Amino acid sequence: MNCSGNNEAICLLDIKKYYKKNKITTNVLKGINLSINQGEMICIMGVSGSGKSTLLNIIAGLLPATSGEYYYDHNKLNINNYHMMEIFRHDKVGVILQKFALIEDLSVYENIALPLKYQKIPSKKIRQKVHSIMKELDLDQKEDYYPDELSGGQQQRVSIARALIKQPELVIADEPTGSLDEENTQKIMAIFQKLNQQGITIIIATHDTNIASLCHRTLFLKNGLIEEKGGYRS
Ligand code: ADP
Ligand code: MG
């Protein structure tokens, strides 16, 4: 495999990741080669412990790979440079984690506004943006609530709003519907599909085959490698 596709947003070459803990080494990713086009919606499946979160965190720039190459928009990222990866993440990526990762002592409004605080945006503009995304995600009555005063579905929508507020090119969602009921799952998938139609690249780790059926491609992680099932669905 090489990284030369015209429309390629992400290209991973021989990405390996191991963790060392108490002198035991776990080889989680054993040489991932993966090319994802701009505007694709990709699902990643695999049993618990197969490395889905590890792979997503590497792509999001939250975790350095042990070795391998990562190209984003045809540029090689310096995966071992924490500062550069942080800039990449702030600029390009919206991350939605399984456990919402909301900040408990910040209100809904403050949680959603947080990514904009890293940018030099006037507070009036921030207010407009936050209110607009809260409306879109059905959170407009909840501005002053704190995370523990919200249902699971509402917390997840706040974490989605926080990921989307800076209009990322790439959305990474780690089991975003893992703790949601059917109705909230459908709402969230509708949001992802709408974003995807706007051209945003989306990568979702999931155990839910219904969600996988909405993705263009599904990748299976097994024994540290990717198996791809099914052809491209557009
Ligand atoms: P999944 O998301 O598919 O459940 P993970 O990527 O979370 O899988 O974990 C893959 C493997 O890596 C598991 O065996 C897990 O115990 C191990 N692992 C994950 N994070 C760490 C860490 N920080 N230190 C040591 N081992 C880890
Ligand atoms: Mg996981």
Side-chain angles (χ1 to χ4, degrees):
M1 203 186 99
N2 58 22
C3 296
S4 56
N6 269 342
N7 199 24
E8 200 165 57
I10 290 166
C11 187
L12 303 181
L13 288 181
D14 203 23
I15 288 283
K16 295 181 181 157
K17 178 71 187 178
Y18 62 75
Y19 294 107
K20 243 185 193 155
K21 193 177 166 72
N22 303 335
K23 294 185 183 154
I24 298 173
T25 302
T26 317
N27 282 305
V28 181
L29 303 177
K30 297 180 184 168
I32 300 290
N33 293 304
L34 175 60
S35 164
I36 296 176
N37 282 336
Q38 175 71 44
E40 269 197 289
M41 185 152 96
I42 299 278
C43 277
I44 297 179
M45 300 187 88
V47 297
S48 179
S50 59
K52 300 180 296 298
S53 296
T54 300
L55 180 59
L56 290 191
N57 286 338
I58 289 172
I59 297 174
L62 284 163
L63 182 72
T66 307
S67 64
E69 293 172 25
Y70 178 3
Y71 294 82
Y72 187 86
D73 256 354
H74 308 280
N75 296 313
K76 187 170 172 181
L77 299 181
N78 191 346
I79 51 179
N80 291 312
N81 184 325
Y82 177 83
H83 183 61
M84 295 301 283
M85 293 310 281
E86 193 176 39
I87 292 173
F88 161 70
R89 190 169 69 251
H90 284 165
D91 272 2
K92 314 272 187 192
V93 193
V95 189
I96 299 155
L97 297 173
Q98 183 172 7
K99 297 200 176 81
F100 316 142
L102 298 176
I103 297 174
E104 291 298 325
D105 55 4
L106 295 185
S107 69
V108 165
Y109 180 92
E110 292 162 335
N111 264 286
I112 296 173
L114 204 55
L116 298 181
K117 299 264 156 90
Y118 297 115
Q119 303 171 353
K120 290 190 176 62
I121 297 176
S123 54
K124 195 173 164 200
K125 184 85 188 154
I126 292 183
R127 184 155 286 278
Q128 277 170 3
K129 282 184 177 238
V130 174
H131 283 153
S132 144
I133 201 151
M134 284 183 43
K135 194 152 191 244
E136 196 174 338
L137 291 177
D138 244 341
L139 290 165
D140 31 1
Q141 309 297 320
K142 302 292 181 193
E143 151 156 15
D144 297 325
Y145 282 56
Y146 285 83
D148 67 357
E149 297 168 332
L150 302 173
S151 71
Q154 289 163 346
Q155 288 182 44
Q156 189 58 303
R157 290 207 298 278
V158 174
S159 84
I160 292 175
R162 184 181 58 184
L164 301 183
I165 188 95
K166 59 183 179 185
Q167 294 169 302
E169 309 176 357
L170 171 65
V171 169
I172 288 186
D174 193 356
E175 300 193 41
T177 61
S179 44
L180 302 183
D181 58 30
E182 181 70 32
E183 190 186 333
N184 277 298
T185 297
Q186 279 178 14
K187 269 191 200 166
I188 282 166
M189 286 313 293
I191 295 165
F192 286 160
Q193 285 185 296
K194 190 171 153 204
L195 286 171
N196 185 237
Q197 277 155 16
Q198 295 162 5
I200 292 171
T201 309
I202 305 185
I203 309 176
I204 308 170
T206 184
H207 287 287
D208 186 337
T209 51
N210 290 324
I211 291 182
S213 71
L214 300 173
C215 281
H216 296 129
R217 277 195 287 157
T218 301
L219 312 172
F220 289 81
L221 264 179
K222 199 176 166 188
N223 300 326
L225 295 170
I226 284 178
E227 292 176 359
E228 197 163 331
K229 278 206 189 134
Y232 188 86
R233 195 185 65 80
S234 61

